[in-house]
Amino acid sequence: HIGMRHLSLLCLLAAAHAPPASAFHASLARLPLSTSSPSSFSSLSTPLSPIATRKHAPATRPSAPSMNLAISLPAVSAAVASIAPAMAPLPYAAVAILPSCLGLYKSDYGVSYGYGLGMILPGLLTLPHCVTPIAKLHALLYIAYGVRLNLFLLYREMNITSMRAIKEKIEERVKARGGRLQRLPFIAMCGFLYFAMAAPLHLTATARALPPAAVGFLALGWLGFAAAAIGDAQKTLAKVGQPNKLVRSGLYSVCRHPNFTGEAFLWTSSALVGILTAIATGTLTAVLGWVALSAVGASGMSYVLCKAASGLESRQRDKYGDEPGYEEWIESTWAGVTLPPSK
């Protein structure tokens, strides 16, 4: 019930910032309509007067002329963009934070499917406002990441029994600690982190041009996306039927944690794309809040990924340290993004 109250409050706040319905009607009135029927109203050269219509009307009422109305997608996007405040903070906060509330249903959903949705929705919200193709590629990076992550999680949950067992154990432990309301602080932190991670999109969407360095970091972000996707897929497929196998081939012959490392490169690069764009366009002071959020989002998620990689590194050493070739693999590969070992 508390979760629904928070949801209702966000909806009321969004409604309070929305313009009156007349703005929507005016926008729709400007949409271009295309007619494909020769008997459409646009083909009438001379309008009929009401008197002439009544005088010559037949005894039986004819059917109305058929019209095929096609509203173009860019026109609809323009109408929507004219209604909502362009790049307003509240919609960004809502679409980034609300997906984390899936954790009220199942605790891990807030950091799995909620994480993916928390990247997809800001990307979709940004895309209509993007001025340059590079900015569109930036927004598409978020959409691609979220779609890929959620499809991967869904496949793993439906096809790998050991993963379902792990998720059930996690849910049991969380339930043993208390009710759903006790999850709210953690859910709120996740929602804020997703909001901060999406902040770079606000910095690049309306920029007339992105500096070359920002374009380079965007390319690095896409490379990180590819490394994370390939690393997840390779490990998952390798462990089908061999859940206890240590994967050392492919990307894992170069980097021991390519999925975590690739993702860390992705989010760090995205933040740098936004910050460098703000500096190059001379808007740094005006968008200082979004710049700070970008830095917080990238550093926060990078810490989470480094901690996850460090924990996996320790568990792998405990489990596979005595296997032949393990030490040689450790010496010939890069651990990736990890935290310094505790003393």
Side-chain angles (χ1 to χ4, degrees), residues 11-43:
C11 292
L12 288 173
L13 288 172
H17 285 76
S22 59
F24 179 72
H25 297 154
S27 299
L28 288 183
R30 294 193 296 269
L31 292 178
L33 304 180
S34 63
T35 60
S36 58
S37 172
S39 60
S40 64
F41 292 122
S42 61
S43 65

PDB file of all heavy atoms in Angstrom, residues 11-43:
ATOM      1  N   CYS A  11       2.418  10.246  -9.853  1.00  0.00           N
ATOM      2  CA  CYS A  11       1.471  10.499 -10.931  1.00  0.00           C
ATOM      3  C   CYS A  11       0.807  11.863 -10.757  1.00  0.00           C
ATOM      4  O   CYS A  11       0.611  12.606 -11.717  1.00  0.00           O
ATOM      5  CB  CYS A  11       0.408   9.399 -10.978  1.00  0.00           C
ATOM      6  SG  CYS A  11       1.049   7.799 -11.489  1.00  0.00           S
ATOM      7  N   LEU A  12       0.451  12.216  -9.511  1.00  0.00           N
ATOM      8  CA  LEU A  12      -0.159  13.519  -9.257  1.00  0.00           C
ATOM      9  C   LEU A  12       0.802  14.654  -9.566  1.00  0.00           C
ATOM     10  O   LEU A  12       0.429  15.673 -10.133  1.00  0.00           O
ATOM     11  CB  LEU A  12      -0.621  13.588  -7.797  1.00  0.00           C
ATOM     12  CG  LEU A  12      -1.849  12.739  -7.446  1.00  0.00           C
ATOM     13  CD1 LEU A  12      -2.084  12.761  -5.950  1.00  0.00           C
ATOM     14  CD2 LEU A  12      -3.080  13.247  -8.185  1.00  0.00           C
ATOM     15  N   LEU A  13       2.089  14.468  -9.205  1.00  0.00           N
ATOM     16  CA  LEU A  13       3.086  15.496  -9.492  1.00  0.00           C
ATOM     17  C   LEU A  13       3.264  15.677 -10.991  1.00  0.00           C
ATOM     18  O   LEU A  13       3.387  16.785 -11.500  1.00  0.00           O
ATOM     19  CB  LEU A  13       4.430  15.121  -8.849  1.00  0.00           C
ATOM     20  CG  LEU A  13       4.489  15.244  -7.322  1.00  0.00           C
ATOM     21  CD1 LEU A  13       5.795  14.658  -6.816  1.00  0.00           C
ATOM     22  CD2 LEU A  13       4.350  16.702  -6.888  1.00  0.00           C
ATOM     23  N   ALA A  14       3.274  14.546 -11.734  1.00  0.00           N
ATOM     24  CA  ALA A  14       3.403  14.636 -13.184  1.00  0.00           C
ATOM     25  C   ALA A  14       2.201  15.342 -13.786  1.00  0.00           C
ATOM     26  O   ALA A  14       2.321  16.154 -14.700  1.00  0.00           O
ATOM     27  CB  ALA A  14       3.554  13.235 -13.788  1.00  0.00           C
ATOM     28  N   ALA A  15       1.000  15.032 -13.261  1.00  0.00           N
ATOM     29  CA  ALA A  15      -0.202  15.672 -13.777  1.00  0.00           C
ATOM     30  C   ALA A  15      -0.196  17.166 -13.491  1.00  0.00           C
ATOM     31  O   ALA A  15      -0.672  17.974 -14.283  1.00  0.00           O
ATOM     32  CB  ALA A  15      -1.439  15.016 -13.166  1.00  0.00           C
ATOM     33  N   ALA A  16       0.352  17.553 -12.347  1.00  0.00           N
ATOM     34  CA  ALA A  16       0.379  18.970 -11.988  1.00  0.00           C
ATOM     35  C   ALA A  16       1.246  19.782 -12.929  1.00  0.00           C
ATOM     36  O   ALA A  16       1.028  20.963 -13.135  1.00  0.00           O
ATOM     37  CB  ALA A  16       0.872  19.136 -10.550  1.00  0.00           C
ATOM     38  N   HIS A  17       2.269  19.123 -13.521  1.00  0.00           N
ATOM     39  CA  HIS A  17       3.168  19.835 -14.433  1.00  0.00           C
ATOM     40  C   HIS A  17       2.718  19.739 -15.887  1.00  0.00           C
ATOM     41  O   HIS A  17       3.366  20.296 -16.763  1.00  0.00           O
ATOM     42  CB  HIS A  17       4.595  19.263 -14.317  1.00  0.00           C
ATOM     43  CG  HIS A  17       5.279  19.700 -13.056  1.00  0.00           C
ATOM     44  ND1 HIS A  17       4.972  19.139 -11.834  1.00  0.00           N
ATOM     45  CD2 HIS A  17       6.232  20.638 -12.820  1.00  0.00           C
ATOM     46  CE1 HIS A  17       5.723  19.716 -10.902  1.00  0.00           C
ATOM     47  NE2 HIS A  17       6.492  20.610 -11.483  1.00  0.00           N
ATOM     48  N   ALA A  18       1.640  19.010 -16.155  1.00  0.00           N
ATOM     49  CA  ALA A  18       1.191  18.849 -17.526  1.00  0.00           C
ATOM     50  C   ALA A  18       0.349  20.041 -17.944  1.00  0.00           C
ATOM     51  O   ALA A  18      -0.403  20.588 -17.137  1.00  0.00           O
ATOM     52  CB  ALA A  18       0.369  17.567 -17.668  1.00  0.00           C
ATOM     53  N   PRO A  19       0.423  20.486 -19.199  1.00  0.00           N
ATOM     54  CA  PRO A  19      -0.384  21.600 -19.664  1.00  0.00           C
ATOM     55  C   PRO A  19      -1.823  21.177 -19.852  1.00  0.00           C
ATOM     56  O   PRO A  19      -2.135  19.993 -19.835  1.00  0.00           O
ATOM     57  CB  PRO A  19       0.267  21.958 -21.007  1.00  0.00           C
ATOM     58  CG  PRO A  19       0.908  20.710 -21.451  1.00  0.00           C
ATOM     59  CD  PRO A  19       1.337  19.980 -20.211  1.00  0.00           C
ATOM     60  N   PRO A  20      -2.758  22.095 -20.040  1.00  0.00           N
ATOM     61  CA  PRO A  20      -4.151  21.736 -20.192  1.00  0.00           C
ATOM     62  C   PRO A  20      -4.387  20.915 -21.441  1.00  0.00           C
ATOM     63  O   PRO A  20      -3.573  20.877 -22.355  1.00  0.00           O
ATOM     64  CB  PRO A  20      -4.859  23.102 -20.287  1.00  0.00           C
ATOM     65  CG  PRO A  20      -3.792  24.057 -20.695  1.00  0.00           C
ATOM     66  CD  PRO A  20      -2.529  23.541 -20.093  1.00  0.00           C
ATOM     67  N   ALA A  21      -5.562  20.248 -21.482  1.00  0.00           N
ATOM     68  CA  ALA A  21      -5.870  19.350 -22.584  1.00  0.00           C
ATOM     69  C   ALA A  21      -5.956  20.081 -23.908  1.00  0.00           C
ATOM     70  O   ALA A  21      -5.760  19.500 -24.969  1.00  0.00           O
ATOM     71  CB  ALA A  21      -7.195  18.632 -22.306  1.00  0.00           C
ATOM     72  N   SER A  22      -6.249  21.384 -23.870  1.00  0.00           N
ATOM     73  CA  SER A  22      -6.347  22.130 -25.116  1.00  0.00           C
ATOM     74  C   SER A  22      -5.045  22.115 -25.889  1.00  0.00           C
ATOM     75  O   SER A  22      -5.034  22.163 -27.122  1.00  0.00           O
ATOM     76  CB  SER A  22      -6.765  23.564 -24.825  1.00  0.00           C
ATOM     77  OG  SER A  22      -5.821  24.181 -23.965  1.00  0.00           O
ATOM     78  N   ALA A  23      -3.912  22.072 -25.187  1.00  0.00           N
ATOM     79  CA  ALA A  23      -2.618  21.995 -25.876  1.00  0.00           C
ATOM     80  C   ALA A  23      -2.512  20.714 -26.673  1.00  0.00           C
ATOM     81  O   ALA A  23      -1.978  20.677 -27.773  1.00  0.00           O
ATOM     82  CB  ALA A  23      -1.476  22.098 -24.867  1.00  0.00           C
ATOM     83  N   PHE A  24      -3.041  19.617 -26.102  1.00  0.00           N
ATOM     84  CA  PHE A  24      -3.018  18.342 -26.800  1.00  0.00           C
ATOM     85  C   PHE A  24      -3.902  18.394 -28.043  1.00  0.00           C
ATOM     86  O   PHE A  24      -3.526  17.937 -29.123  1.00  0.00           O
ATOM     87  CB  PHE A  24      -3.484  17.229 -25.863  1.00  0.00           C
ATOM     88  CG  PHE A  24      -3.526  15.881 -26.506  1.00  0.00           C
ATOM     89  CD1 PHE A  24      -2.338  15.217 -26.796  1.00  0.00           C
ATOM     90  CD2 PHE A  24      -4.727  15.292 -26.843  1.00  0.00           C
ATOM     91  CE1 PHE A  24      -2.377  13.985 -27.387  1.00  0.00           C
ATOM     92  CE2 PHE A  24      -4.754  14.050 -27.448  1.00  0.00           C
ATOM     93  CZ  PHE A  24      -3.584  13.386 -27.723  1.00  0.00           C
ATOM     94  N   HIS A  25      -5.104  18.976 -27.886  1.00  0.00           N
ATOM     95  CA  HIS A  25      -6.005  19.056 -29.023  1.00  0.00           C
ATOM     96  C   HIS A  25      -5.421  19.932 -30.126  1.00  0.00           C
ATOM     97  O   HIS A  25      -5.528  19.617 -31.315  1.00  0.00           O
ATOM     98  CB  HIS A  25      -7.363  19.617 -28.564  1.00  0.00           C
ATOM     99  CG  HIS A  25      -8.045  18.723 -27.581  1.00  0.00           C
ATOM    100  ND1 HIS A  25      -8.944  19.171 -26.655  1.00  0.00           N
ATOM    101  CD2 HIS A  25      -7.937  17.390 -27.366  1.00  0.00           C
ATOM    102  CE1 HIS A  25      -9.380  18.165 -25.911  1.00  0.00           C
ATOM    103  NE2 HIS A  25      -8.778  17.081 -26.322  1.00  0.00           N
ATOM    104  N   ALA A  26      -4.793  21.031 -29.720  1.00  0.00           N
ATOM    105  CA  ALA A  26      -4.176  21.906 -30.724  1.00  0.00           C
ATOM    106  C   ALA A  26      -3.050  21.205 -31.451  1.00  0.00           C
ATOM    107  O   ALA A  26      -2.858  21.375 -32.646  1.00  0.00           O
ATOM    108  CB  ALA A  26      -3.663  23.186 -30.057  1.00  0.00           C
ATOM    109  N   SER A  27      -2.295  20.376 -30.720  1.00  0.00           N
ATOM    110  CA  SER A  27      -1.195  19.645 -31.349  1.00  0.00           C
ATOM    111  C   SER A  27      -1.733  18.630 -32.346  1.00  0.00           C
ATOM    112  O   SER A  27      -1.210  18.465 -33.436  1.00  0.00           O
ATOM    113  CB  SER A  27      -0.360  18.936 -30.290  1.00  0.00           C
ATOM    114  OG  SER A  27       0.197  19.871 -29.413  1.00  0.00           O
ATOM    115  N   LEU A  28      -2.813  17.915 -31.948  1.00  0.00           N
ATOM    116  CA  LEU A  28      -3.377  16.928 -32.855  1.00  0.00           C
ATOM    117  C   LEU A  28      -3.960  17.590 -34.096  1.00  0.00           C
ATOM    118  O   LEU A  28      -3.936  17.031 -35.184  1.00  0.00           O
ATOM    119  CB  LEU A  28      -4.469  16.127 -32.135  1.00  0.00           C
ATOM    120  CG  LEU A  28      -3.983  15.130 -31.085  1.00  0.00           C
ATOM    121  CD1 LEU A  28      -5.176  14.376 -30.517  1.00  0.00           C
ATOM    122  CD2 LEU A  28      -2.989  14.155 -31.686  1.00  0.00           C
ATOM    123  N   ALA A  29      -4.485  18.799 -33.931  1.00  0.00           N
ATOM    124  CA  ALA A  29      -5.065  19.487 -35.074  1.00  0.00           C
ATOM    125  C   ALA A  29      -4.019  19.815 -36.122  1.00  0.00           C
ATOM    126  O   ALA A  29      -4.340  19.991 -37.294  1.00  0.00           O
ATOM    127  CB  ALA A  29      -5.755  20.767 -34.609  1.00  0.00           C
ATOM    128  N   ARG A  30      -2.760  19.896 -35.692  1.00  0.00           N
ATOM    129  CA  ARG A  30      -1.687  20.227 -36.636  1.00  0.00           C
ATOM    130  C   ARG A  30      -1.074  19.008 -37.289  1.00  0.00           C
ATOM    131  O   ARG A  30      -0.176  19.120 -38.099  1.00  0.00           O
ATOM    132  CB  ARG A  30      -0.597  21.022 -35.918  1.00  0.00           C
ATOM    133  CG  ARG A  30      -1.030  22.386 -35.435  1.00  0.00           C
ATOM    134  CD  ARG A  30       0.174  23.215 -35.024  1.00  0.00           C
ATOM    135  NE  ARG A  30       0.856  22.637 -33.891  1.00  0.00           N
ATOM    136  CZ  ARG A  30       0.576  22.948 -32.634  1.00  0.00           C
ATOM    137  NH1 ARG A  30      -0.375  23.809 -32.360  1.00  0.00           N
ATOM    138  NH2 ARG A  30       1.257  22.390 -31.646  1.00  0.00           N
ATOM    139  N   LEU A  31      -1.526  17.781 -36.928  1.00  0.00           N
ATOM    140  CA  LEU A  31      -0.950  16.571 -37.493  1.00  0.00           C
ATOM    141  C   LEU A  31      -1.301  16.461 -38.973  1.00  0.00           C
ATOM    142  O   LEU A  31      -2.456  16.648 -39.359  1.00  0.00           O
ATOM    143  CB  LEU A  31      -1.480  15.331 -36.761  1.00  0.00           C
ATOM    144  CG  LEU A  31      -1.035  15.181 -35.313  1.00  0.00           C
ATOM    145  CD1 LEU A  31      -1.680  13.950 -34.715  1.00  0.00           C
ATOM    146  CD2 LEU A  31       0.470  15.080 -35.235  1.00  0.00           C
ATOM    147  N   PRO A  32      -0.333  16.110 -39.829  1.00  0.00           N
ATOM    148  CA  PRO A  32      -0.641  15.948 -41.254  1.00  0.00           C
ATOM    149  C   PRO A  32      -1.422  14.675 -41.495  1.00  0.00           C
ATOM    150  O   PRO A  32      -1.047  13.606 -41.031  1.00  0.00           O
ATOM    151  CB  PRO A  32       0.750  15.885 -41.905  1.00  0.00           C
ATOM    152  CG  PRO A  32       1.641  15.391 -40.826  1.00  0.00           C
ATOM    153  CD  PRO A  32       1.073  15.918 -39.529  1.00  0.00           C
ATOM    154  N   LEU A  33      -2.515  14.756 -42.198  1.00  0.00           N
ATOM    155  CA  LEU A  33      -3.347  13.601 -42.513  1.00  0.00           C
ATOM    156  C   LEU A  33      -3.211  13.311 -44.000  1.00  0.00           C
ATOM    157  O   LEU A  33      -3.354  14.202 -44.830  1.00  0.00           O
ATOM    158  CB  LEU A  33      -4.818  13.884 -42.166  1.00  0.00           C
ATOM    159  CG  LEU A  33      -5.086  14.311 -40.715  1.00  0.00           C
ATOM    160  CD1 LEU A  33      -6.578  14.557 -40.530  1.00  0.00           C
ATOM    161  CD2 LEU A  33      -4.598  13.260 -39.758  1.00  0.00           C
ATOM    162  N   SER A  34      -2.977  12.071 -44.331  1.00  0.00           N
ATOM    163  CA  SER A  34      -2.897  11.703 -45.742  1.00  0.00           C
ATOM    164  C   SER A  34      -4.099  10.861 -46.101  1.00  0.00           C
ATOM    165  O   SER A  34      -4.494   9.993 -45.322  1.00  0.00           O
ATOM    166  CB  SER A  34      -1.600  10.924 -46.014  1.00  0.00           C
ATOM    167  OG  SER A  34      -1.592   9.726 -45.301  1.00  0.00           O
ATOM    168  N   THR A  35      -4.706  11.099 -47.229  1.00  0.00           N
ATOM    169  CA  THR A  35      -5.890  10.360 -47.662  1.00  0.00           C
ATOM    170  C   THR A  35      -5.527   9.537 -48.864  1.00  0.00           C
ATOM    171  O   THR A  35      -4.897  10.009 -49.800  1.00  0.00           O
ATOM    172  CB  THR A  35      -7.024  11.334 -48.021  1.00  0.00           C
ATOM    173  OG1 THR A  35      -6.569  12.163 -49.062  1.00  0.00           O
ATOM    174  CG2 THR A  35      -7.420  12.194 -46.833  1.00  0.00           C
ATOM    175  N   SER A  36      -5.928   8.281 -48.844  1.00  0.00           N
ATOM    176  CA  SER A  36      -5.619   7.396 -49.956  1.00  0.00           C
ATOM    177  C   SER A  36      -6.843   7.061 -50.783  1.00  0.00           C
ATOM    178  O   SER A  36      -6.732   6.355 -51.771  1.00  0.00           O
ATOM    179  CB  SER A  36      -4.977   6.107 -49.415  1.00  0.00           C
ATOM    180  OG  SER A  36      -5.843   5.488 -48.504  1.00  0.00           O
ATOM    181  N   SER A  37      -8.037   7.506 -50.400  1.00  0.00           N
ATOM    182  CA  SER A  37      -9.244   7.188 -51.145  1.00  0.00           C
ATOM    183  C   SER A  37      -9.611   8.338 -52.052  1.00  0.00           C
ATOM    184  O   SER A  37      -9.619   9.488 -51.641  1.00  0.00           O
ATOM    185  CB  SER A  37     -10.406   6.897 -50.172  1.00  0.00           C
ATOM    186  OG  SER A  37     -11.619   6.773 -50.883  1.00  0.00           O
ATOM    187  N   PRO A  38      -9.992   8.072 -53.340  1.00  0.00           N
ATOM    188  CA  PRO A  38     -10.360   9.165 -54.243  1.00  0.00           C
ATOM    189  C   PRO A  38     -11.643   9.852 -53.834  1.00  0.00           C
ATOM    190  O   PRO A  38     -11.926  10.953 -54.274  1.00  0.00           O
ATOM    191  CB  PRO A  38     -10.496   8.470 -55.607  1.00  0.00           C
ATOM    192  CG  PRO A  38     -10.754   7.041 -55.279  1.00  0.00           C
ATOM    193  CD  PRO A  38     -10.007   6.776 -54.015  1.00  0.00           C
ATOM    194  N   SER A  39     -12.435   9.192 -52.993  1.00  0.00           N
ATOM    195  CA  SER A  39     -13.689   9.784 -52.560  1.00  0.00           C
ATOM    196  C   SER A  39     -13.562  10.508 -51.243  1.00  0.00           C
ATOM    197  O   SER A  39     -14.543  10.773 -50.583  1.00  0.00           O
ATOM    198  CB  SER A  39     -14.749   8.682 -52.423  1.00  0.00           C
ATOM    199  OG  SER A  39     -14.334   7.731 -51.468  1.00  0.00           O
ATOM    200  N   SER A  40     -12.327  10.804 -50.816  1.00  0.00           N
ATOM    201  CA  SER A  40     -12.134  11.472 -49.545  1.00  0.00           C
ATOM    202  C   SER A  40     -12.573  12.916 -49.635  1.00  0.00           C
ATOM    203  O   SER A  40     -12.748  13.468 -50.716  1.00  0.00           O
ATOM    204  CB  SER A  40     -10.662  11.403 -49.126  1.00  0.00           C
ATOM    205  OG  SER A  40      -9.889  12.105 -50.044  1.00  0.00           O
ATOM    206  N   PHE A  41     -12.718  13.548 -48.446  1.00  0.00           N
ATOM    207  CA  PHE A  41     -13.206  14.915 -48.411  1.00  0.00           C
ATOM    208  C   PHE A  41     -12.266  15.887 -49.094  1.00  0.00           C
ATOM    209  O   PHE A  41     -12.690  16.919 -49.610  1.00  0.00           O
ATOM    210  CB  PHE A  41     -13.430  15.344 -46.956  1.00  0.00           C
ATOM    211  CG  PHE A  41     -14.566  14.610 -46.311  1.00  0.00           C
ATOM    212  CD1 PHE A  41     -14.347  13.877 -45.164  1.00  0.00           C
ATOM    213  CD2 PHE A  41     -15.840  14.638 -46.842  1.00  0.00           C
ATOM    214  CE1 PHE A  41     -15.389  13.199 -44.550  1.00  0.00           C
ATOM    215  CE2 PHE A  41     -16.878  13.968 -46.240  1.00  0.00           C
ATOM    216  CZ  PHE A  41     -16.659  13.236 -45.082  1.00  0.00           C
ATOM    217  N   SER A  42     -10.967  15.557 -49.132  1.00  0.00           N
ATOM    218  CA  SER A  42     -10.015  16.471 -49.757  1.00  0.00           C
ATOM    219  C   SER A  42     -10.215  16.560 -51.260  1.00  0.00           C
ATOM    220  O   SER A  42      -9.721  17.481 -51.901  1.00  0.00           O
ATOM    221  CB  SER A  42      -8.582  16.044 -49.437  1.00  0.00           C
ATOM    222  OG  SER A  42      -8.350  14.755 -49.954  1.00  0.00           O
ATOM    223  N   SER A  43     -10.918  15.585 -51.868  1.00  0.00           N
ATOM    224  CA  SER A  43     -11.104  15.606 -53.315  1.00  0.00           C
ATOM    225  C   SER A  43     -12.300  16.436 -53.735  1.00  0.00           C
ATOM    226  O   SER A  43     -12.551  16.594 -54.924  1.00  0.00           O
ATOM    227  CB  SER A  43     -11.276  14.168 -53.826  1.00  0.00           C
ATOM    228  OG  SER A  43     -12.470  13.604 -53.298  1.00  0.00           O
TER     229      SER A  43
END
